[in-house]
Coordinates of all heavy atoms in Angstrom, one line a residue:
M1 N -8.5 1.3 -11.7 CA -8.7 0.8 -10.3 C -7.4 0.2 -9.8 O -6.7 -0.6 -10.5 CB -9.8 -0.2 -10.2 CG -10.1 -0.5 -8.8 SD -11.6 -1.6 -8.6 CE -12.8 -0.6 -9.4
A2 N -6.9 0.6 -8.7 CA -5.6 0.2 -8.2 C -5.8 -0.9 -7.1 O -6.9 -1.1 -6.6 CB -4.8 1.4 -7.6
Y3 N -4.7 -1.4 -6.7 CA -4.6 -2.3 -5.5 C -4.5 -1.4 -4.3 O -4.0 -0.3 -4.3 CB -3.5 -3.3 -5.6 CG -3.9 -4.5 -6.4 CD1 -4.1 -4.4 -7.8 CD2 -4.0 -5.8 -5.9 CE1 -4.5 -5.5 -8.6 CE2 -4.3 -6.9 -6.6 CZ -4.6 -6.7 -8.0 OH -5.0 -7.8 -8.7
V4 N -4.9 -2.0 -3.1 CA -5.0 -1.2 -1.9 C -4.4 -2.0 -0.8 O -4.7 -3.2 -0.7 CB -6.4 -0.8 -1.5 CG1 -6.5 -0.2 -0.1 CG2 -7.0 0.1 -2.6
I5 N -3.6 -1.4 0.1 CA -3.1 -2.1 1.3 C -4.0 -1.8 2.5 O -4.2 -0.6 2.8 CB -1.6 -1.7 1.6 CG1 -0.7 -2.1 0.4 CG2 -1.1 -2.5 2.9 CD1 0.7 -1.7 0.6
A6 N -4.4 -2.8 3.2 CA -5.4 -2.6 4.3 C -4.7 -2.9 5.6 O -3.5 -3.1 5.7 CB -6.6 -3.5 4.1
S7 N -5.5 -3.0 6.6 CA -5.1 -3.0 8.0 C -4.1 -4.1 8.4 O -3.2 -3.8 9.2 CB -6.4 -3.2 8.9 OG -6.0 -3.2 10.2
P8 N -4.2 -5.3 7.9 CA -3.2 -6.3 8.4 C -1.8 -6.1 8.1 O -0.9 -6.8 8.5 CB -3.7 -7.6 7.8 CG -5.1 -7.4 7.3 CD -5.1 -5.9 7.0
C9 N -1.5 -5.0 7.3 CA -0.1 -4.8 6.8 C 0.9 -4.8 8.0 O 0.7 -4.2 9.0 CB 0.0 -3.5 6.1 SG 1.6 -3.0 5.5
V10 N 2.0 -5.6 7.8 CA 3.0 -5.6 8.8 C 4.4 -5.0 8.2 O 5.4 -5.2 8.9 CB 3.3 -7.1 9.2 CG1 2.1 -7.6 10.0 CG2 3.6 -8.0 8.1
A11 N 4.3 -4.4 7.1 CA 5.4 -3.7 6.5 C 6.7 -4.5 6.4 O 7.7 -4.1 6.8 CB 5.7 -2.4 7.3
D12 N 6.5 -5.7 5.8 CA 7.7 -6.6 5.6 C 8.5 -6.3 4.3 O 9.5 -7.0 4.1 CB 7.3 -8.0 5.8 CG 6.8 -8.6 4.5 OD1 6.2 -7.9 3.7 OD2 7.1 -9.8 4.3
F13 N 7.9 -5.5 3.4 CA 8.6 -5.1 2.2 C 8.6 -6.1 1.1 O 9.2 -5.8 0.0 CB 10.0 -4.6 2.5 CG 10.1 -3.6 3.5 CD1 10.8 -3.8 4.7 CD2 9.5 -2.4 3.3 CE1 10.9 -2.9 5.6 CE2 9.6 -1.4 4.3 CZ 10.3 -1.6 5.5
S14 N 8.0 -7.2 1.2 CA 7.8 -8.1 0.1 C 7.2 -7.4 -1.1 O 7.6 -7.6 -2.3 CB 7.0 -9.4 0.5 OG 7.7 -10.1 1.5
C15 N 6.2 -6.6 -0.8 CA 5.4 -5.9 -1.9 C 6.3 -4.8 -2.5 O 6.3 -4.7 -3.7 CB 4.1 -5.4 -1.4 SG 4.4 -4.3 0.0
V16 N 7.0 -4.1 -1.7 CA 7.9 -3.0 -2.2 C 8.9 -3.6 -3.2 O 9.1 -3.1 -4.3 CB 8.6 -2.3 -1.1 CG1 9.6 -1.3 -1.6 CG2 7.6 -1.7 -0.1
E17 N 9.5 -4.7 -2.8 CA 10.5 -5.3 -3.7 C 10.0 -5.9 -5.0 O 10.7 -5.9 -6.0 CB 11.2 -6.4 -2.8 CG 12.0 -5.8 -1.7 CD 12.6 -6.9 -0.7 OE1 12.2 -8.1 -0.9 OE2 13.3 -6.5 0.2
I18 N 8.8 -6.4 -5.0 CA 8.3 -7.0 -6.2 C 7.5 -6.1 -7.1 O 7.3 -6.4 -8.3 CB 7.3 -8.2 -5.8 CG1 7.3 -9.2 -6.9 CG2 5.9 -7.7 -5.4 CD1 6.7 -10.6 -6.5
C19 N 7.1 -4.9 -6.7 CA 6.3 -4.0 -7.5 C 7.2 -3.5 -8.7 O 8.2 -2.9 -8.5 CB 5.8 -2.8 -6.7 SG 4.8 -1.7 -7.7
P20 N 6.7 -3.7 -9.9 CA 7.5 -3.4 -11.1 C 7.5 -1.9 -11.4 O 8.3 -1.4 -12.2 CB 6.8 -4.1 -12.3 CG 5.4 -4.2 -11.8 CD 5.4 -4.4 -10.3
V21 N 6.7 -1.1 -10.7 CA 6.6 0.3 -11.0 C 6.8 1.2 -9.8 O 6.5 2.4 -9.8 CB 5.2 0.7 -11.7 CG1 5.1 0.1 -13.1 CG2 4.1 0.3 -10.8
A22 N 7.3 0.6 -8.7 CA 7.7 1.3 -7.5 C 6.5 2.1 -7.0 O 6.6 3.3 -6.6 CB 8.9 2.3 -7.7
A23 N 5.3 1.5 -6.9 CA 4.1 2.2 -6.5 C 3.8 2.1 -5.0 O 2.9 2.7 -4.5 CB 2.9 1.6 -7.3
I24 N 4.7 1.3 -4.3 CA 4.4 1.1 -2.9 C 5.4 1.8 -2.0 O 6.7 1.7 -2.2 CB 4.4 -0.4 -2.6 CG1 3.4 -1.1 -3.5 CG2 4.1 -0.7 -1.1 CD1 3.4 -2.6 -3.4
S25 N 5.0 2.6 -1.0 CA 5.8 3.4 -0.2 C 5.3 3.3 1.3 O 4.1 3.1 1.5 CB 5.9 4.8 -0.6 OG 6.6 4.9 -1.8
P26 N 6.1 3.7 2.3 CA 7.5 4.0 2.1 C 8.3 2.8 2.2 O 8.0 1.8 2.9 CB 7.7 4.9 3.4 CG 6.7 4.4 4.4 CD 5.5 3.9 3.6
G27 N 9.4 2.8 1.4 CA 10.4 1.7 1.5 C 11.3 1.9 2.8 O 11.2 2.9 3.5
P28 N 12.1 0.9 3.0 CA 12.9 0.9 4.3 C 13.9 2.1 4.3 O 14.3 2.5 5.4 CB 13.7 -0.4 4.2 CG 13.6 -0.9 2.8 CD 12.3 -0.3 2.3
D29 N 14.2 2.7 3.2 CA 15.2 3.8 3.2 C 14.4 5.2 3.3 O 15.1 6.2 3.3 CB 16.0 3.8 2.0 CG 16.9 2.6 1.9 OD1 17.2 2.1 3.0 OD2 17.2 2.1 0.8
S30 N 13.1 5.2 3.3 CA 12.4 6.4 3.2 C 12.4 7.1 4.6 O 12.3 6.5 5.6 CB 10.9 6.1 2.9 OG 10.1 7.3 3.1
R31 N 12.4 8.4 4.5 CA 12.3 9.2 5.8 C 11.0 9.1 6.5 O 10.8 9.4 7.6 CB 12.6 10.7 5.5 CG 11.6 11.3 4.5 CD 11.9 12.7 4.2 NE 11.3 13.2 3.0 CZ 11.1 14.4 2.7 NH1 11.5 15.4 3.5 NH2 10.6 14.7 1.5
Y32 N 10.0 8.5 5.8 CA 8.7 8.4 6.4 C 8.5 7.0 7.1 O 7.6 6.8 7.8 CB 7.6 8.4 5.3 CG 7.4 9.8 4.7 CD1 8.0 10.1 3.4 CD2 6.7 10.8 5.3 CE1 7.8 11.3 2.9 CE2 6.6 12.0 4.8 CZ 7.1 12.3 3.5 OH 7.0 13.5 3.0
F33 N 9.5 6.1 6.9 CA 9.3 4.8 7.4 C 9.0 4.7 8.8 O 8.1 3.9 9.3 CB 10.5 3.9 7.0 CG 10.3 2.5 7.5 CD1 9.3 1.7 7.0 CD2 11.1 2.0 8.6 CE1 9.1 0.4 7.5 CE2 10.9 0.7 9.1 CZ 9.9 -0.1 8.5
D34 N 9.7 5.4 9.7 CA 9.5 5.3 11.1 C 8.2 5.9 11.6 O 7.9 5.8 12.8 CB 10.7 6.0 11.8 CG 12.0 5.1 11.7 OD1 11.9 3.9 11.4 OD2 13.1 5.7 11.8
N35 N 7.5 6.6 10.7 CA 6.4 7.4 11.2 C 5.0 6.9 10.6 O 4.0 7.5 10.8 CB 6.5 8.9 10.9 CG 7.7 9.4 11.6 OD1 8.0 9.2 12.7 ND2 8.5 10.2 10.8
V36 N 5.1 5.8 9.9 CA 3.8 5.3 9.4 C 3.4 3.9 10.0 O 4.2 3.2 10.5 CB 3.9 5.1 7.8 CG1 4.2 6.4 7.1 CG2 5.0 4.1 7.5
E37 N 2.1 3.7 10.0 CA 1.6 2.5 10.6 C 1.6 1.3 9.6 O 1.4 0.1 10.0 CB 0.2 2.7 11.1 CG 0.2 3.8 12.2 CD -1.2 4.0 12.7 OE1 -2.2 3.4 12.2 OE2 -1.4 4.8 13.6
Q38 N 1.7 1.6 8.3 CA 1.6 0.6 7.3 C 2.2 1.1 6.0 O 2.7 2.2 6.0 CB 0.1 0.2 7.0 CG -0.6 1.4 6.4 CD -2.0 0.9 5.8 OE1 -2.9 0.9 6.5 NE2 -1.9 0.6 4.5
L39 N 2.3 0.2 5.0 CA 2.7 0.7 3.6 C 1.5 1.0 2.8 O 0.4 0.6 3.1 CB 3.5 -0.4 2.9 CG 4.7 -0.9 3.7 CD1 5.5 -2.0 2.9 CD2 5.6 0.2 4.2
Y40 N 1.7 1.8 1.7 CA 0.6 2.3 0.9 C 0.9 2.1 -0.6 O 2.1 2.2 -1.0 CB 0.4 3.8 1.2 CG 0.2 4.1 2.6 CD1 1.3 4.4 3.4 CD2 -1.0 4.1 3.3 CE1 1.2 4.7 4.8 CE2 -1.2 4.4 4.6 CZ -0.1 4.7 5.4 OH -0.2 5.0 6.7
I41 N -0.2 2.0 -1.4 CA 0.0 1.9 -2.8 C -0.5 3.2 -3.5 O -1.6 3.7 -3.2 CB -0.8 0.7 -3.4 CG1 -0.2 -0.6 -2.9 CG2 -0.9 0.7 -4.9 CD1 -1.0 -1.8 -3.2
D42 N 0.3 3.8 -4.4 CA -0.1 5.0 -5.1 C -1.0 4.6 -6.2 O -0.6 3.9 -7.2 CB 1.2 5.6 -5.7 CG 0.9 6.9 -6.4 OD1 -0.3 7.2 -6.6 OD2 1.8 7.5 -6.9
P43 N -2.3 5.0 -6.1 CA -3.3 4.6 -7.2 C -3.0 5.2 -8.5 O -3.4 4.6 -9.5 CB -4.6 5.1 -6.6 CG -4.2 6.2 -5.7 CD -2.9 5.9 -5.1
L44 N -2.2 6.2 -8.6 CA -1.8 6.8 -9.9 C -0.7 6.1 -10.6 O -0.5 6.2 -11.8 CB -1.5 8.3 -9.7 CG -2.6 9.2 -9.2 CD1 -2.2 10.6 -9.1 CD2 -3.9 9.0 -10.1
S45 N 0.1 5.3 -9.8 CA 1.2 4.6 -10.4 C 0.9 3.1 -10.6 O 1.5 2.4 -11.4 CB 2.4 4.7 -9.4 OG 2.8 6.0 -9.3
C46 N 0.1 2.5 -9.8 CA -0.3 1.1 -9.8 C -0.8 0.7 -11.2 O -1.7 1.4 -11.7 CB -1.3 0.8 -8.7 SG -1.8 -1.0 -8.7
I47 N -0.3 -0.4 -11.7 CA -0.7 -0.9 -13.0 C -1.6 -2.2 -12.9 O -1.8 -2.9 -13.9 CB 0.5 -1.1 -14.0 CG1 1.4 -2.2 -13.4 CG2 1.2 0.2 -14.3 CD1 2.6 -2.6 -14.3
D48 N -2.0 -2.4 -11.7 CA -2.9 -3.5 -11.5 C -2.4 -4.9 -11.9 O -3.1 -5.8 -12.3 CB -4.3 -3.3 -12.2 CG -5.0 -2.1 -11.7 OD1 -4.8 -1.7 -10.5 OD2 -5.8 -1.5 -12.4
C49 N -1.1 -5.1 -11.6 CA -0.5 -6.4 -12.0 C -0.8 -7.5 -11.0 O -0.8 -8.7 -11.4 CB 1.0 -6.3 -12.2 SG 1.9 -6.1 -10.7
G50 N -1.1 -7.2 -9.8 CA -1.4 -8.2 -8.8 C -0.2 -8.8 -8.1 O -0.4 -9.7 -7.2
A51 N 1.0 -8.5 -8.5 CA 2.2 -9.2 -7.9 C 2.3 -9.0 -6.4 O 2.7 -9.9 -5.7 CB 3.4 -8.7 -8.6
C52 N 1.9 -7.8 -6.0 CA 2.1 -7.5 -4.5 C 1.1 -8.3 -3.7 O 1.4 -8.8 -2.6 CB 1.9 -6.0 -4.3 SG 0.3 -5.4 -4.9
Q53 N -0.1 -8.5 -4.3 CA -1.1 -9.3 -3.5 C -0.6 -10.8 -3.3 O -0.7 -11.3 -2.2 CB -2.4 -9.4 -4.3 CG -3.5 -10.1 -3.6 CD -4.8 -10.1 -4.3 OE1 -4.9 -10.2 -5.5 NE2 -5.9 -10.0 -3.6
D54 N 0.0 -11.3 -4.3 CA 0.6 -12.7 -4.2 C 1.8 -12.7 -3.2 O 2.0 -13.7 -2.6 CB 1.0 -13.2 -5.5 CG -0.1 -13.4 -6.5 OD1 -1.3 -13.5 -6.0 OD2 0.1 -13.4 -7.7
A55 N 2.5 -11.6 -3.1 CA 3.7 -11.6 -2.3 C 3.4 -11.3 -0.8 O 4.3 -11.6 0.0 CB 4.7 -10.5 -2.8
C56 N 2.3 -10.7 -0.5 CA 2.0 -10.3 0.8 C 1.8 -11.5 1.8 O 1.0 -12.3 1.5 CB 0.8 -9.4 0.9 SG 0.3 -8.9 2.5
P57 N 2.6 -11.6 2.9 CA 2.6 -12.7 3.7 C 1.3 -12.7 4.7 O 1.1 -13.7 5.3 CB 3.9 -12.6 4.5 CG 4.1 -11.2 4.6 CD 3.7 -10.6 3.3
V58 N 0.6 -11.6 4.7 CA -0.5 -11.5 5.7 C -1.8 -11.2 4.9 O -2.8 -10.8 5.6 CB -0.2 -10.5 6.8 CG1 0.9 -11.0 7.7 CG2 0.1 -9.1 6.2
S59 N -1.8 -11.3 3.6 CA -3.0 -11.1 2.8 C -3.7 -9.7 3.1 O -4.9 -9.6 3.4 CB -4.1 -12.2 3.1 OG -3.5 -13.4 2.7
A60 N -2.8 -8.7 3.1 CA -3.3 -7.3 3.4 C -3.6 -6.5 2.2 O -4.1 -5.4 2.3 CB -2.3 -6.6 4.2
I61 N -3.4 -7.1 1.0 CA -3.5 -6.3 -0.3 C -4.7 -6.9 -1.1 O -4.8 -8.1 -1.3 CB -2.2 -6.3 -1.1 CG1 -1.1 -5.8 -0.2 CG2 -2.4 -5.5 -2.3 CD1 0.3 -5.9 -0.9
F62 N -5.5 -5.9 -1.6 CA -6.7 -6.3 -2.4 C -6.9 -5.3 -3.6 O -6.5 -4.1 -3.5 CB -8.0 -6.1 -1.5 CG -7.9 -6.9 -0.2 CD1 -7.3 -6.4 0.9 CD2 -8.5 -8.2 -0.2 CE1 -7.3 -7.1 2.1 CE2 -8.5 -8.9 1.0 CZ -7.9 -8.4 2.1
P63 N -7.5 -5.8 -4.7 CA -7.9 -4.9 -5.7 C -9.0 -3.9 -5.0 O -9.7 -4.4 -4.2 CB -8.6 -5.7 -6.7 CG -8.1 -7.1 -6.5 CD -7.8 -7.2 -5.0
E64 N -9.0 -2.7 -5.4 CA -9.9 -1.7 -4.7 C -11.3 -2.2 -4.7 O -12.0 -2.1 -3.7 CB -9.8 -0.3 -5.3 CG -10.6 0.7 -4.6 CD -10.4 2.1 -5.1 OE1 -9.5 2.3 -5.9 OE2 -11.2 3.0 -4.7
G65 N -11.7 -2.8 -5.8 CA -13.1 -3.3 -5.9 C -13.4 -4.5 -5.1 O -14.6 -4.9 -5.0
A66 N -12.4 -5.1 -4.5 CA -12.6 -6.4 -3.8 C -12.2 -6.2 -2.3 O -12.1 -7.2 -1.6 CB -11.8 -7.5 -4.4
L67 N -12.0 -5.0 -1.9 CA -11.7 -4.8 -0.5 C -12.9 -5.3 0.4 O -14.0 -5.0 0.1 CB -11.6 -3.3 -0.2 CG -10.2 -2.6 -0.4 CD1 -10.3 -1.1 -0.4 CD2 -9.2 -3.1 0.7
P68 N -12.5 -6.0 1.5 CA -13.6 -6.3 2.5 C -14.3 -5.1 2.9 O -13.6 -4.0 3.1 CB -12.8 -7.0 3.6 CG -11.6 -7.6 2.9 CD -11.2 -6.5 1.9
S69 N -15.6 -5.1 3.2 CA -16.3 -3.9 3.5 C -15.8 -3.2 4.7 O -15.7 -1.9 4.8 CB -17.8 -4.2 3.7 OG -18.0 -5.2 4.7
K70 N -15.2 -4.0 5.7 CA -14.7 -3.3 6.9 C -13.4 -2.5 6.7 O -13.0 -1.8 7.5 CB -14.5 -4.4 8.0 CG -13.4 -5.4 7.6 CD -13.2 -6.5 8.7 CE -12.2 -7.5 8.4 NZ -12.1 -8.6 9.4
W71 N -12.8 -2.8 5.5 CA -11.6 -2.1 5.1 C -11.8 -1.2 3.9 O -10.8 -0.7 3.3 CB -10.5 -3.1 4.9 CG -10.0 -3.8 6.1 CD1 -10.0 -3.3 7.4 CD2 -9.5 -5.1 6.2 NE1 -9.6 -4.2 8.3 CE2 -9.2 -5.4 7.6 CE3 -9.2 -6.1 5.3 CZ2 -8.7 -6.6 8.0 CZ3 -8.7 -7.3 5.7 CH2 -8.4 -7.5 7.1
A72 N -13.0 -0.9 3.5 CA -13.3 -0.1 2.3 C -12.6 1.3 2.4 O -12.2 1.8 1.4 CB -14.8 0.0 2.1
H73 N -12.5 1.8 3.6 CA -11.9 3.1 3.8 C -10.4 3.2 3.5 O -9.8 4.2 3.4 CB -12.3 3.7 5.2 CG -11.8 2.8 6.3 ND1 -12.2 1.6 6.6 CD2 -10.8 3.1 7.2 CE1 -11.6 1.1 7.6 NE2 -10.7 2.0 8.0
Y74 N -9.8 2.0 3.4 CA -8.4 2.0 3.2 C -8.0 2.5 1.8 O -6.9 2.9 1.5 CB -7.8 0.6 3.4 CG -7.4 0.5 4.9 CD1 -8.4 0.0 5.8 CD2 -6.2 0.8 5.4 CE1 -8.1 -0.1 7.1 CE2 -5.9 0.7 6.7 CZ -6.9 0.2 7.6 OH -6.6 0.1 9.0
A75 N -8.9 2.5 0.8 CA -8.7 3.0 -0.5 C -8.3 4.5 -0.3 O -7.4 5.0 -0.9 CB -9.8 2.8 -1.4
D76 N -9.1 5.2 0.5 CA -8.8 6.6 0.7 C -7.6 6.8 1.6 O -6.8 7.8 1.4 CB -10.0 7.3 1.4 CG -11.1 7.6 0.5 OD1 -10.9 7.7 -0.8 OD2 -12.3 7.8 0.9
I77 N -7.3 5.9 2.5 CA -6.1 6.0 3.3 C -4.9 5.9 2.5 O -3.9 6.7 2.6 CB -6.1 5.0 4.5 CG1 -7.2 5.3 5.5 CG2 -4.8 4.8 5.1 CD1 -7.5 4.2 6.6
N78 N -4.9 4.9 1.6 CA -3.7 4.8 0.6 C -3.6 6.0 -0.2 O -2.5 6.6 -0.4 CB -3.9 3.5 -0.2 CG -3.5 2.2 0.4 OD1 -2.6 1.5 0.0 ND2 -4.2 1.9 1.6
R79 N -4.7 6.5 -0.8 CA -4.6 7.7 -1.7 C -4.1 8.9 -0.9 O -3.3 9.7 -1.4 CB -6.0 7.9 -2.2 CG -6.2 8.7 -3.4 CD -7.6 8.8 -4.0 NE -7.9 7.5 -4.6 CZ -8.9 6.7 -4.2 NH1 -9.6 7.0 -3.1 NH2 -9.2 5.5 -4.8
Q80 N -4.6 9.1 0.3 CA -4.2 10.2 1.1 C -2.7 10.3 1.4 O -2.1 11.4 1.5 CB -5.1 10.3 2.4 CG -4.9 11.5 3.2 CD -5.4 12.8 2.5 OE1 -6.2 12.7 1.6 NE2 -4.9 13.9 2.9
F81 N -2.1 9.2 1.6 CA -0.7 9.2 1.9 C 0.1 9.9 0.8 O 1.0 10.7 1.1 CB -0.1 7.7 2.1 CG 1.3 7.7 2.3 CD1 1.9 8.0 3.5 CD2 2.2 7.3 1.3 CE1 3.3 8.0 3.7 CE2 3.6 7.3 1.4 CZ 4.1 7.6 2.7
F82 N -0.2 9.6 -0.4 CA 0.5 10.2 -1.6 C 0.1 11.6 -1.8 O 0.8 12.4 -2.5 CB 0.3 9.3 -2.8 CG 1.0 8.0 -2.6 CD1 0.2 6.9 -2.2 CD2 2.3 7.8 -2.8 CE1 0.8 5.6 -2.0 CE2 3.0 6.6 -2.6 CZ 2.2 5.5 -2.2
A83 N -1.0 12.0 -1.3 CA -1.5 13.4 -1.4 C -0.7 14.3 -0.5 O -0.5 15.5 -0.8 CB -3.0 13.5 -1.1
V84 N -0.2 13.8 0.6 CA 0.5 14.6 1.6 C 2.0 14.4 1.6 O 2.8 15.2 2.1 CB -0.1 14.5 3.0 CG1 -1.6 15.0 2.9 CG2 0.0 13.1 3.5
A85 N 2.5 13.2 1.3 CA 3.9 12.8 1.4 C 4.7 13.4 0.3 O 4.2 13.5 -0.9 CB 4.0 11.3 1.4
V86 N 5.9 13.8 0.6 CA 6.9 14.3 -0.4 C 7.9 13.2 -0.5 O 8.8 13.1 0.3 CB 7.5 15.6 0.0 CG1 8.5 16.1 -1.1 CG2 6.4 16.7 0.2
L87 N 7.8 12.3 -1.5 CA 8.6 11.2 -1.6 C 9.9 11.5 -2.4 O 10.0 12.4 -3.2 CB 7.8 10.0 -2.2 CG 6.6 9.6 -1.5 CD1 5.8 8.6 -2.3 CD2 6.9 9.1 -0.1
Ligands
SF4_101 S1 -0.7 -4.4 -8.2 FE1 1.4 -4.4 -9.2 S2 1.7 -2.3 -9.8 FE2 0.1 -2.3 -8.3 S3 1.1 -1.9 -6.4 FE3 0.9 -4.1 -6.6 S4 2.8 -4.8 -7.6 FE4 2.7 -2.6 -7.8

């Protein structure tokens, strides 16, 4: 089970910088950055360390199993980004 970024994300990159396995995209240098509404966590790369959750200034990151019900669909939204993006 991976961590998931939900709706409050403001893309401030604290999570990108702290992730030990580069599981969060797009970073500020990515060609996708100008075209996304938020950042996303790759569930296949995430090692569940929780560092991004602690770093997020707006509490937008949750373990998938602890997502608030109103944001439960963000697990699929995060997964889908990596299914279509060529990083
Ligand atoms: S939980 Fe850890 S490994 Fe997973 S996205 Fe956050 S910082 Fe990266």
